């Protein structure tokens, strides 16, 4: 029987062990652990990588998005358009700022916010659109920016799954007014703990986020606004600098697996993700669709192949958004019942992906499902 894990995080450590261990030692010996040189250097390296002027390291991806909204003075009673089929953190960032998340359904083929459905969701209270580059594939930003321009709305990228992805040649992180990244360990650029960042070309916004992440303070013991404590620490920043140097290569490895999945699953009765020309996904996840998901997942498990579901319950059906469960979001609901994420990561071999795909073919072509 195969033993194919969904994602083996320890392999990222082992591949870069010498470099990471030396970095760990360097930070420990520095005697400086919060808001220091490692963070500053990481911020400038990650800003360069994304092709933006500013990067502000924060505690996690949720805080990155929440602090962007606060810095834009979006809050009480304001509405922010979010995808109906995203991870709940996108919505929570809006709620935490005091604003209301207003769901927009996705294009079923790309899984991303459908620009054709945005205008119908705009009201007098709408202040921003927060597209997610879901599963690593950029949202269709041009029409989103065009609508935002016409209605004078801010555009905030939730880039938590899309480090290094490109839209028409331009990296995510610099496609809207600001972007929030997560460095949760399983993300394409993952820390060894929690971490996140805001990227933007807007110097005023950058200064506000810089203050908000540090108790609302720019000068020690001077507090102009009620900020929070959400800082990317020196250890995580230093370790991320090591991993950032490998991000492009590791993303390229994901693409090799995608080629294998696409090749091996051609002709099999599943829907494969669509990546239109000009959309360079970094495949945080490779998500297929089938109406026989439960059976397929359990048969794959019996064959030693681990798969996950992103996400089994859309945010509006969660207890946290109890009052919204009555609203009708049929696409998000259907996707939540049919999507299946196949093993994916920079340390999965093409042979393993091939084996997983062969098993999918065998299961779906037999009478097992
Ligand atoms: C991971 C993720 C977040 C939140 O990031 P954390 O660092 O876990 O807080 C937000 N949005 C999306 C789409 C994510 O995948």
């Amino acid at each position: 029987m195969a033993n194919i894990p969904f994602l083996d995080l320890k392999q990222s450590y082992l591949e870069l062990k010498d470099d990471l261990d030396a970095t760990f030692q360097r930070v420990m010996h520095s005697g400086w652990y919060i808001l220091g040189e490692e963070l500053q250097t990481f911020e400038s390296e990650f800003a360069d990588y994304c092709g933006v002027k500013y990067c502000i390291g924060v505690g996690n991806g949720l805080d990155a998005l929440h602090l962007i909204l606060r810095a834009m003075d979006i809050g009480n009673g304001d509405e922010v358009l979010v995808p109906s089929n995203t991870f709940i953190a996108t919505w929570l960032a809006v709620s935490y700022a005091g604003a209301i998340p207003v769901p927009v359904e996705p294009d079923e083929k790309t899984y991303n916010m459908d620009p054709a459905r945005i205008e119908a969701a705009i009201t007098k209270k709408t202040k921003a659109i927060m597209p997610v580059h879901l599963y690593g594939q950029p949202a269709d930003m041009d029409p989103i920016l065009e609508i935002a321009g016409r209605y004078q709305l801010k555009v905030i990228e939730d880039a938590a799954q899309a480090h290094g992805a490109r839209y028409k040649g331009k990296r995510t992180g610099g496609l809207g007014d600001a972007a929030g990244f997560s460095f949760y360990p399983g993300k394409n650029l993952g820390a060894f703990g929690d971490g996140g960042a805001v990227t933007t070309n807007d110097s005023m916004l950058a200064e506000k986020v810089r203050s908000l992440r540090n108790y609302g303070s720019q000068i020690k013991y001077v507090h102009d606004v009620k900020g929070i404590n959400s800082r990317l620490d020196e250890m995580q920043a230093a370790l991320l600098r090591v991993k950032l140097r490998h991000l492009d290569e590791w993303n390229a490895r994901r693409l090799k697996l995608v080629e294998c999945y696409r090749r091996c699953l051609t002709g099999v009765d599943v829907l494969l993700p669509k990546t239109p020309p000009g959309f360079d996904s970094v495949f945080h996840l490779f998500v297929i669709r089938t109406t026989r998901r439960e059976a397929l997942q359990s048969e794959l498990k019996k064959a030693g192949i681990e798969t996950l579901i992103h996400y089994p319950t859309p945010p509006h059906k969660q207890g946290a958004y109890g009052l919204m469960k009555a609203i009708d979001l049929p696409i998000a609901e259907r996707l939540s019942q049919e999507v299946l994420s196949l093993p994916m990561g920079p340390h999965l071999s093409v042979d393993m992906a091939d084996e997983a795909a062969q098993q999918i073919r065998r299961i779906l072509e037999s009478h097992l499902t």
Side-chain angles (χ1 to χ4, degrees):
M1 194 178 84
N3 176 19
I4 304 180
F6 181 76
L7 171 67
D8 187 355
L9 277 178
K10 191 178 168 187
Q11 296 301 324
S12 339
Y13 169 58
L14 294 178
E15 184 182 332
L16 307 177
K17 186 175 183 307
D18 291 348
D19 220 350
L20 292 168
D21 286 352
T23 301
F24 172 80
Q25 291 291 333
R26 183 180 77 233
V27 176
M28 289 307 268
H29 282 287
S30 76
W32 193 278
Y33 309 112
I34 293 281
L35 294 182
E37 270 173 33
E38 297 289 351
L39 177 61
Q40 266 186 22
T41 313
F42 172 73
E43 287 175 340
S44 90
E45 289 171 355
F46 193 62
D48 286 350
Y49 180 84
C50 295
V52 298
K53 288 191 190 138
Y54 309 100
C55 168
I56 305 99
V58 297
N60 55 67
L62 173 60
D63 283 353
L65 296 168
H66 158 233
L67 291 181
I68 291 169
L69 291 164
R70 286 215 35 209
M72 288 175 171
D73 289 318
I74 294 173
N76 252 337
D78 295 335
E79 294 178 354
V80 177
L81 306 191
V82 293
S84 59
N85 62 323
T86 182
F87 177 54
I88 196 168
T90 317
W91 288 43
L92 291 174
V94 176
S95 301
Y96 202 40
I100 300 159
V102 174
V104 175
E105 290 264 70
D107 173 327
E108 292 198 51
K109 298 221 170 63
T110 64
Y111 305 121
N112 272 327
M113 185 186 268
D114 184 351
R117 296 170 193 271
I118 290 176
E119 283 197 78
I122 294 175
T123 72
K124 286 196 174 66
K125 293 179 181 167
T126 310
K127 291 282 156 47
I129 310 174
M130 195 182 273
V132 178
H133 306 308
L134 199 66
Y135 308 149
Q137 176 153 308
D140 192 1
M141 294 302 288
D142 279 351
I144 293 173
L145 290 164
E146 187 274 319
I147 296 165
R150 258 191 295 126
Y151 289 86
Q152 298 196 314
L153 307 175
K154 298 283 189 193
V155 176
I156 301 156
E157 298 169 75
D158 180 341
Q161 302 187 355
H163 320 68
R166 282 191 167 96
Y167 176 75
K168 301 186 180 174
K170 245 182 111 182
R171 291 247 204 234
T172 59
L175 300 171
D177 293 291
F181 284 91
S182 164
F183 304 127
Y184 177 79
K187 302 288 161 92
N188 290 42
L189 179 60
F192 295 88
D194 274 313
V198 172
T199 57
T200 182
N201 285 310
D202 179 336
S203 63
M204 292 272 286
L205 188 79
E207 281 318 294
K208 280 189 186 166
V209 172
R210 220 173 269 290
S211 161
L212 283 169
R213 75 166 172 188
N214 187 37
Y215 311 115
S217 169
Q218 293 274 46
I219 303 165
K220 208 164 187 175
Y221 305 126
V222 179
H223 303 268
D224 298 319
V225 288
K226 294 191 188 89
I228 63 170
N229 175 4
S230 182
R231 304 170 298 210
L232 183 65
D233 64 69
E234 289 287 283
M235 186 65 77
Q236 298 303 339
L239 298 172
L240 282 166
R241 289 182 58 207
V242 174
K243 287 185 83 179
L244 180 58
R245 297 199 278 273
H246 299 268
L247 178 57
D248 284 339
E249 190 207 328
W250 287 16
N251 279 342
R253 290 186 202 168
R254 290 172 185 266
L255 287 181
K256 288 270 175 262
L257 302 176
V258 170
E259 277 169 29
C260 170
Y261 280 139
R262 287 199 190 283
R263 191 171 58 240
C264 306
L265 292 173
T266 303
V268 178
D269 182 26
V270 291
L271 288 172
L272 301 178
K274 182 177 148 192
T275 42
F279 292 61
D280 292 319
S281 175
V282 288
F283 288 96
H284 174 58
L285 298 169
F286 188 79
V287 178
I288 64 170
R289 272 181 76 187
T290 167
T291 50
R292 294 180 281 169
R293 182 184 67 192
E294 306 314 322
L296 176 60
Q297 186 175 37
S298 74
E299 288 300 319
L300 282 170
K301 191 174 173 200
K302 282 187 207 156
I305 296 160
E306 187 188 13
T307 56
L308 296 177
I309 295 167
H310 300 90
Y311 298 92
T313 309
H316 73 287
K317 292 282 189 190
Q318 298 284 357
Y321 290 98
L323 293 174
M324 288 176 82
K325 64 177 177 289
I327 65 170
D328 204 24
L329 296 167
I331 300 177
E333 284 162 33
R334 195 158 57 238
L335 286 175
S336 73
Q337 285 159 14
E338 297 183 1
V339 290
L340 187 68
S341 307
L342 305 187
M344 174 53 68
H347 297 93
L348 187 78
S349 69
V350 172
D351 283 348
M352 283 170 148
D354 185 70
E355 169 70 14
Q358 297 309 331
Q359 291 294 338
I360 292 168
R361 177 184 290 274
R362 177 186 63 82
I363 293 162
L364 290 179
E365 287 177 357
S366 70
H367 52 272
L368 292 166
T369 55

